[in-house]
């Protein structure tokens, strides 16, 4: 007797059924190419019976196509204007433009507040170094927890209402931060602001994919992706002068004002883009108009909500703990990311104490890491494309080609070099421009390692790329929230020189990780011993 999965039987079309059985999201194509699941090429019915799949060559009888189910609701042809892929360019780019600004504001909130922390601690009469760091980094902890709820909710209810509700909660929690009467209250609301603010980061890439085919997606992804890059850097630059002029509470009021304005624009001028939700609405309208209760969306994925949440929670964790590639790469990225946020939470104190920067000018000390990140993005974009194009002329491109030594080694070495420069120059009070130049190397090294490894994970785990990225994001955000907690205490014990040198040695020790997978990655990911059953 064959076992029948009830969740699988609820899937109404082969694409959705195959997606569920292969273990990836339904909107990821199953015919992905070189990394297609080998079982997906077989008949599911034949597999359950334990007999070889039937092919056209196994019989001389003419093959007939299955009749089209009249109760299936699909797009009205390839040019259906209701399909977001067929929207006008103006409509597509207006949606992406507003979303990009919202995606800039929520990461900006992670560090916008940093220059105001000394004033905040004085106003609440707090002196704990741990709380001083945690009030900034707890926002990143929200970025780790929020996506675990936001992602499955978007599968059930679409993207538009998740954006709307999360944006509203983001504003409410920032208002609560602005009127907080004690530090504990502020920390709690900062955490929930981070959870709700994670929505554009979690599902923004899916919105881009909804509207643009792969060959036209790069520009939109670049526009959407610039927010998480610039936000944490622009925030302190603006926040420093704002705190000096108006006080730390106005940081949250400004976030509320701008966040509220662009959230309203997103609500008024954007539309739902998630294809399953749009087709389900169409099916519901046709059921009402025709009186036919059997009409159903072609993309209906009738998996119980419990199964959706289970998939979103368990799969990334299984990949994190049982896949050596995901585990080691995530640890490498997470430690570098934690080091970056340790600098974000301590730069204010370092430059105010060592160089007597004012609350306004101290925000300018964050520009170095931002310049490094932008330089890394430009160099990576130009170089990586040329490397892939050159490889295409030689033969097929493998995921390991995303980890060329020309990018991974300079990026890996750049971060510890920057830490050595920053640490010892601030310790000896060398002119302030020199340690800021050191943070340029930190920003470049952090960005280059993060981008190359994320691209590698997507290519190496094509069908399960979403789960691999989720595992990476959760661990990275946890390190970004926790590692900075010991920053000020570490500097107090070891000093700025040896404290940053310790971080540099830790980063140096991890450089072999991407080199290891550049050389042995294919052998590891194709070894049955390291295959993760999802």
């Amino acid at each position: 007797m064959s076992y029948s999965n009830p969740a699988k039987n609820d899937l109404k079309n082969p694409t959705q059924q195959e997606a569920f059985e292969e273990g990836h999201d339904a909107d990821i194509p199953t015919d992905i190419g070189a990394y297609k699941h080998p079982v997906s090429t077989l008949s599911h019915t034949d597999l359950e019976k334990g007999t070889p799949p039937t092919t056209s060559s196994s019989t001389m009888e003419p093959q007939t196509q299955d009749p089209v189910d009249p109760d299936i609701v699909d797009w009205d042809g390839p040019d259906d204007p209701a399909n977001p892929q067929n929207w006008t360019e103006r409509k597509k780019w207006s949606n992406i433009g507003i979303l990009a600004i919202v995606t800039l504001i929520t990461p900006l909130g992670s560090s916008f507040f940093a220059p105001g922390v000394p004033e905040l601690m004085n106003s609440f009469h707090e002196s704990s170094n741990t709380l001083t760091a945690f009030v900034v980094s707890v926002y990143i902890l929200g970025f780790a927890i929020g996506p675990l709820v936001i992602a499955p909710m978007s599968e059930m209810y679409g993207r538009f209402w998740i954006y709307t509700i999360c944006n509203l909660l983001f504003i409410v929690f920032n208002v609560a931060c602005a009127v907080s009467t004690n530090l504990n209250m502020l920390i709690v609301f900062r955490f929930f602001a981070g959870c709700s603010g994670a929505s554009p980061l979690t599902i923004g890439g899916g919105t881009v994919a909804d509207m643009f085919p792969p060959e036209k997606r790069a520009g939109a992804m670049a526009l959407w992706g610039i927010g998480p890059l610039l936000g944490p850097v622009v925030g302190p630059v603006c926040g420093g002068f704002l705190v000096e002029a108006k006080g730390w509470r106005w940081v949250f009021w400004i976030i509320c004002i701008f966040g509220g304005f662009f959230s309203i624009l997103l609500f008024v001028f954007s539309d739902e883009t998630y294809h399953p939700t749009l087709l389900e609405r169409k099916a519901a309208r046709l059921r009402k108009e025709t009186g036919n209760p059997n009409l159903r969306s072609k993309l209906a994925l009738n998996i119980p909500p419990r199964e959706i949440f289970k998939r979103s929670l368990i799969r990334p964790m299984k990949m994190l703990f049982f896949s050596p590639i995901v585990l080691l790469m995530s640890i490498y990225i997470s430690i570098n990311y934690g080091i970056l946020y340790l600098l974000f939470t301590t730069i204010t104190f370092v430059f105010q104490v060592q160089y007597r920067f004012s609350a306004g000018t101290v925000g300018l000390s964050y520009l170095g890491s931002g310049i490094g990140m932008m330089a890394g993005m430009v160099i990576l974009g130009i170089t990586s494309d040329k490397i892939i194009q050159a490889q295409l002329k030689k033969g097929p491109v493998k995921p390991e080609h995303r980890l060329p030594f020309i990018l991974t080694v300079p990026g890996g070495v750049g971060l510890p070099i920057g830490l050595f420069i920053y640490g010892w120059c601030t310790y000896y009070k060398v002119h302030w421009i020199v340690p800021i130049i050191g943070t340029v190397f930190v920003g470049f090294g952090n960005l280059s390692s993060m981008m190359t490894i994320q691209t590698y994970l997507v290519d190496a785990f094509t069908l399960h790329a979403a789960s691999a990225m989720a595992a990476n994001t959760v661990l990275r955000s946890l390190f970004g929230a926790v590692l900075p907690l010991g920053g000020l205490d570490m500097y107090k014990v070891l000093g700025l020189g040896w404290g940053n040198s310790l971080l540099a040695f830790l980063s140096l020790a991890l450089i072999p990780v991407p080199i290891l997978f550049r050389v042995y990655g294919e052998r590891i990911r194709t070894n049955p011993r390291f295959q993760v059953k999802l």
Side-chain angles (χ1 to χ4, degrees), residues 462-477:
T462 310
L463 296 179
H464 310 297
S467 294
M469 292 303 297
N472 179 273
T473 300
V474 169
L475 191 65
R476 182 185 72 202
S477 299

Side-chain angles (χ1 to χ4, degrees), residues 35 41 86 144 190 226 269 294 309 312 314 353 360 369 433 506 529:
Y35 309 105
T41 60
N86 297 323
R190 280 272 292 171
I226 202 169
F269 294 105
N294 297 320
F309 273 98
S312 299
I314 294 179
V353 172
S369 57
I433 193 62
L506 181 60
R529 292 175 52 194

